[in-house]
Amino acid sequence: MDDWSGYLTDFHTRRPGIADAVLSRCTSGNHTPYRWLARGVSQTATRVLDVRCGAGAMGRELAAEGRTVIGLDRNAAELAAAHGPGPFVRCDALAMPFADGSFDAVVSTLGLAQIHPTSGLLDEVSRVLRPGGVFVGLVPTIRPLNARDMRTAARLTQVLLGTPRFPATVELAVGKLLEQHGLRKAEDARERYHFTVEDREDADLLLSGLYLPTTSPQRLQAASDWLTQQAAEHDGIRVPIPLRRVVAIK
């Protein structure tokens, strides 16, 4: 991809709220990725910044009495679809319009993978965090997967002739990278979530939420057909969505 910025702008303008819709349907036990991310934020945090907030699902998860959650996104369509406690601010995450030390916590659901360069994002995160403040980020990863997950992922990859892609690597060397930006790693954990496909509508929703810049419409249709068929034959198919949660302290 030579133009990730243009691709992401077009993707989210045409599909506002898609990340919220897909991730809200992903579960591990009794929680979603948003609940897992929120657990990294102290109950005493009163000013929280949600970077690349999309339609506001993370802000709704973090909402609490006495807490302000500011959602930040550069995409106008996403912010037009956003709802939750707010307020919402349209700006580039690489040039945030906030004073140094403004926040007790900064969270980002997929920003570490979407916002490039990663170093620029972490510069701004570190700047707007107060000393002792916490950064919590989720990023796609490639594990953990069990044998069934691996078979499902491999077959879906085969049908699509590719895998989801991101501007930044999904296997970051987190510890050293955080230290370079004044942040100390407190946790680096992985969790396996699943999106359950029960019919074609589910299949199309999942596929429409994946970054597949070089995948043809024919391949997407073939993947939708395969997922729909598997769902019908097996009373639903669980597609693995492994994620990694990073917690760091300034």
Side-chain angles (χ1 to χ4, degrees), residues 42-46 48 59-69 85:
S42 169
Q43 293 182 353
T44 62
T46 59
V48 181
R60 296 191 295 275
E61 186 68 46
L62 285 166
E65 185 177 355
R67 171 182 285 170
T68 298
V69 182

Side-chain angles (χ1 to χ4, degrees), residues 5-54:
S5 178
Y7 173 79
L8 292 175
T9 297
D10 179 67
F11 182 98
H12 288 280
T13 297
R14 289 187 292 111
R15 305 179 179 95
I18 186 61
D20 302 52
V22 171
L23 289 176
S24 293
R25 287 275 304 275
C26 295
T27 57
S28 176
N30 64 352
H31 69 274
T32 68
Y34 293 119
R35 178 64 53 84
W36 192 37
L37 186 74
R39 288 174 179 169
V41 177
S42 169
Q43 293 182 353
T44 62
T46 59
R47 286 183 55 81
V48 181
L49 177 63
D50 180 14
V51 176
R52 194 59 70 91
C53 66

Side-chain angles (χ1 to χ4, degrees), residues 22-23 25-28 33 36 110 139-145 149 153 156 164 191-196 206 210 238-244:
V22 171
L23 289 176
R25 287 275 304 275
C26 295
T27 57
S28 176
W36 192 37
L110 295 174
V139 64
T141 185
I142 58 176
R143 58 182 176 87
L145 295 176
D149 290 336
L156 184 57
E191 185 71 64
R192 184 176 69 249
Y193 290 86
H194 291 92
F195 183 102
T196 301
L206 172 62
L210 302 179
R238 285 164 31 104
V239 179
I241 309 288
L243 293 170
R244 182 181 183 187

Side-chain angles (χ1 to χ4, degrees), residues 45-52 68 70-72 89 91-108 115 119-136 181-183 248-250:
T46 59
R47 286 183 55 81
V48 181
L49 177 63
D50 180 14
V51 176
R52 194 59 70 91
T68 298
I70 297 177
L72 179 156
V89 176
C91 71
D92 189 336
L94 301 179
M96 301 182 193
F98 307 112
D100 297 357
S102 298
F103 295 96
D104 302 310
V106 176
V107 302
S108 188
I115 300 169
S119 59
L121 169 63
L122 291 177
D123 275 341
E124 282 293 90
V125 167
S126 181
R127 182 184 66 79
V128 302
L129 271 176
R130 65 165 176 79
V134 174
F135 169 64
V136 190
H181 299 278
L183 301 167
I249 301 171
K250 180 176 177 180

